[in-house]
Amino acid sequence: MKRLVHFVREAVANIRLNRTTTIIAVATTAFTLACFGVFLLLYLNLRAVATSLQSDFKVVVYVQDGVPPQGLSELHASLKTDPGVQALTYVSKEQALTDFRAQFPTEYHLLQGLGENPLPASFVVTLAPALRSPDAVRRWAERLKSAPGVDQVQYSRDWIDNLTTIVGFLELAAVGIGTVLSAASVTIIASTIRLTLYARRDEIEIMRLIGATGGFIKIPYLIEGAMLGAMGSVLSLVMLKGGFELFKIRLGFPGRFLGIDSGFYFFSGQMATLIVAAGLLLGFIGSVLSVLDLGRAKP
Amino acid sequence: MIQLFHATKYYDRRPALTDVTLQIDKGEFVLLMGPSGAGKTTLLKLLYCATSLDEGQILIQGRNVARIRPSAVPYLRRTMGVVFQDFKLLPKKSVYDNVALPLLVQGLSAFETRRKVMEALKAVGVDHRKESRPAMLSAGEQQRVCIARAIVNSPIILLADEPTGNMDAELACEIVELFRTINARGTTVLVATHNRQVIEQVGRRIVTLDQGKVVSDEGRGQ
């Protein structure tokens, strides 16, 4: 316990001793992490939109005209017991006509000219989450097309798939950019710790000579690096939050956008904690790189 | 306690110590004499592993220093107290913290640390300056603090490199008396000096080095 207090005290003393380099290191780390944070926010929000769209995704199974009531019941029963179907709504021919009239009142006269109701009955199917991938949907639809009483199976998820692809690319880019910016943070913190080590080289030598182990000498610098990383990430979160709020005010976003619940989200508490932990870890890695050779006794 | 067998050390291919064979027993007080550049400091540095041996062997309490693992060096150093010519005190720490450092490194309790530090500071007569920074002390006081740090963990060997350098005769006398007291408690003391007054005052075993070689070893067993 006494040692731990000593290590933390030394780390804080180092930070206070090299105030200017500390401020520069924390600010640079904060800017670097903030750049990554902007990207991460964009990715998380787009992913949320894609997920929301995917959960709204529906398949329409059109029923052949003239299918007897028993055939319709059998089709209904087979869809209801299908493990791939999460929810099912039957839309009768009459209901389809009413919906059409409500949605397209000016075009309704076109149907009237035909005499008989040309709109087919249908089942609106919400697929289970496991079947929402493009391949799974295609396989499920192909299988259903050959079922008795089914005329057509329609779904349009091209643009959802495109969005999912974009999110996938963003994910890859996030990993790439994250790696580069993380390396930059590690380098910045490593340089700061190296400057501290240089400033305190005489003290380190004295510590060695009185019998301090490498660990005893290194630990305060590891703590210092971790503290710099954590401070940088907290500052980056503050900057991001400020920028985020400003962005929302400037754009005056409505509650919904393109029919999707588009309220932009900031990092959750858990995510923010993870970012601070990541900053702490990056700082720790930076200081580990700096102190690798430190404290090694020279017999 | 300390044994050197044909110990040789080169700096840039120039021999600093050549074929030195020496034995120092437990509880001895040995003065290491010689002009500047004779190899006194090099010999001490070899003993506390601040530099490596090029040829020969050095045994300290039966441990071969030439073959010691780097990770074991700190533990060997903890059995020794070293008084450096340039004091090597941490400028930003108080006298108390400087002296407490070897105990902190060893993980002693706060209570034990306080007891031992105060005891060491009293022994060298600077307990009243425990809150001061080294820069606020005179050279003599700094030397005493350095000695207090060297003896605080009751080492079995005390090495001192020119401990009376740049000191007036009266102060040098006090320092030598301090070493005699420490030696009387059973600590093996090895002092490198070229101060004639110290040699006359101590009157014990004197090993003389010149150009890296032992040229005389007088008064062994005294």
Side-chain angles (χ1 to χ4, degrees):
Chain A
M1 187 62 194
K2 193 185 168 204
R3 278 189 178 200
L4 185 68
V5 171
H6 165 79
F7 293 145
V8 175
R9 249 177 49 189
E10 286 296 301
V12 173
N14 284 348
I15 287 172
R16 290 174 65 178
L17 185 74
N18 307 299
R19 213 167 292 171
T20 315
T21 35
T22 299
I23 290 168
I24 293 168
V26 170
T28 324
T29 307
F31 279 117
T32 314
L33 291 175
C35 289
F36 178 60
V38 169
F39 203 76
L40 196 64
L41 269 176
L42 184 70
Y43 162 69
L44 289 176
N45 277 287
L46 275 177
R47 198 180 67 170
V49 169
T51 310
S52 151
L53 285 173
Q54 278 187 331
S55 65
D56 275 356
F57 173 65
K58 288 183 173 58
V59 177
V60 183
V61 179
Y62 290 104
V63 181
Q64 282 172 354
D65 266 348
V67 171
Q70 197 188 341
L72 194 66
S73 303
E74 280 170 11
L75 181 60
H76 188 215
S78 79
L79 283 172
K80 212 170 180 181
T81 53
D82 191 322
V85 176
Q86 192 181 53
L88 183 67
T89 313
Y90 174 66
V91 180
S92 65
K93 283 173 73 75
E94 294 71 30
Q95 182 63 45
L97 192 65
T98 313
D99 291 348
F100 186 87
R101 194 186 298 164
Q103 283 178 26
F104 308 103
T106 51
E107 276 81 25
Y108 180 63
H109 67 277
L110 295 172
L111 296 181
Q112 275 181 322
L114 293 170
E116 200 185 334
N117 177 6
L119 297 176
S122 63
F123 289 98
V124 179
V125 175
T126 304
L127 286 174
L131 281 177
R132 285 179 196 161
S133 70
D135 284 347
V137 173
R138 198 180 309 117
R139 277 200 303 273
W140 187 86
E142 289 298 326
R143 183 168 57 82
L144 201 70
K145 267 180 191 170
S146 55
V150 173
D151 184 23
Q152 271 187 55
V153 180
Q154 276 191 357
Y155 59 94
S156 176
R157 55 167 299 145
D158 287 354
W159 76 282
I160 300 175
D161 292 343
N162 288 341
L163 183 62
T164 310
T165 311
I166 290 168
V167 171
F169 280 127
L170 273 177
E171 198 169 50
L172 272 179
V175 171
I177 292 174
T179 308
V180 172
L181 293 180
S182 298
S185 302
V186 166
T187 313
I188 292 158
I189 290 168
S191 306
T192 311
I193 301 290
R194 268 195 204 111
L195 282 175
T196 310
L197 294 178
Y198 185 75
R200 302 192 73 169
R201 62 194 183 284
D202 292 339
E203 288 182 35
I204 290 165
E205 183 59 21
I206 295 168
M207 299 282 281
R208 274 198 197 122
L209 292 174
I210 60 159
T213 56
F216 189 88
I217 296 170
K218 286 173 192 173
I219 289 170
Y221 297 100
L222 297 181
I223 294 173
E224 184 188 345
M227 283 167 92
L228 291 183
M231 286 194 278
S233 53
V234 168
L235 185 61
S236 77
L237 281 175
V238 171
M239 285 159 56
L240 281 170
K241 182 68 179 165
F244 179 80
E245 293 302 327
L246 203 67
F247 175 77
K248 267 172 59 176
I249 294 166
R250 277 295 182 94
L251 264 74
F253 259 111
R256 288 178 73 81
F257 177 68
L258 290 174
I260 310 150
D261 184 13
S262 71
F264 271 69
Y265 305 104
F266 193 67
F267 299 123
S268 64
Q270 198 181 9
M271 192 68 190
T273 312
L274 267 176
I275 290 171
V276 175
L280 192 137
L281 184 69
L282 291 177
F284 183 76
I285 293 169
S287 47
V288 166
L289 293 177
S290 301
V291 302
L292 275 180
D293 289 332
L294 181 70
R296 198 167 287 168
K298 294 177 281 181
Chain B
M1 176 65 65
I2 301 171
Q3 293 166 292
L4 288 92
F5 300 102
H6 310 289
T8 301
K9 172 71 188 172
Y10 299 97
Y11 287 125
D12 297 329
R13 294 183 191 169
R14 245 191 60 233
L17 216 58
T18 311
D19 199 30
V20 172
T21 297
L22 198 64
Q23 183 166 336
I24 297 167
D25 295 330
K26 189 172 185 292
E28 262 197 295
F29 193 129
V30 180
L31 288 174
L32 206 54
M33 282 280 299
S36 293
K40 305 186 295 292
T41 300
T42 300
L43 197 151
L44 293 184
K45 277 185 170 178
L46 284 170
L47 295 181
Y48 62 82
C49 300
T51 189
S52 57
L53 193 63
D54 290 321
E55 289 166 27
Q57 306 289 333
I58 295 178
L59 300 182
I60 296 174
Q61 289 188 286
R63 291 182 77 175
N64 192 338
V65 170
R67 289 185 186 173
I68 197 164
R69 280 180 295 116
S71 59
V73 170
Y75 301 96
L76 178 73
R77 285 176 178 161
R78 289 177 194 180
T79 66
M80 303 175 189
V82 185
V83 180
F84 303 97
Q85 191 174 5
D86 55 353
F87 316 139
K88 292 198 189 299
L89 297 173
L90 297 177
K92 292 184 183 74
K93 291 199 182 290
S94 69
V95 164
Y96 181 94
D97 285 341
N98 265 287
V99 177
L101 214 52
L103 305 177
L104 183 71
V105 160
Q106 291 180 38
L108 247 71
S109 70
F111 177 77
E112 267 296 282
T113 301
R114 183 161 181 79
R115 188 184 67 76
K116 288 197 166 205
V117 171
M118 290 316 293
E119 204 177 278
L121 287 174
K122 270 184 193 147
V124 298
V126 285
D127 51 320
H128 61 290
R129 305 300 305 265
K130 66 179 168 43
E131 303 296 341
S132 309
R133 297 276 170 100
M136 295 158 73
L137 306 179
S138 68
E141 284 173 323
Q142 288 188 45
Q143 186 67 285
R144 283 160 186 267
V145 175
C146 187
I147 295 169
R149 187 182 61 189
I151 63 170
V152 73
N153 59 351
S154 313
I156 47 178
I157 300 166
L158 181 69
L159 307 173
D161 191 6
E162 300 284 3
T164 57
N166 305 320
M167 276 185 197
D168 58 46
E170 196 182 342
L171 203 57
C173 248
E174 280 181 39
I175 297 287
V176 171
E177 265 317 300
L178 205 55
F179 286 138
R180 287 173 79 140
T181 313
I182 293 161
N183 177 241
R185 291 178 194 157
T187 303
T188 306
V189 179
L190 181 56
V191 179
T193 184
H194 59 256
N195 187 330
R196 279 271 149 214
Q197 185 198 344
V198 172
I199 298 155
E200 283 160 15
Q201 193 182 345
V202 174
R204 301 281 182 94
R205 183 180 171 192
I206 300 168
V207 175
T208 310
L209 288 173
D210 193 15
Q211 294 185 329
K213 290 178 184 169
V214 175
V215 291
S216 73
D217 187 352
E218 301 161 21
R220 192 159 176 220
Q222 278 185 36

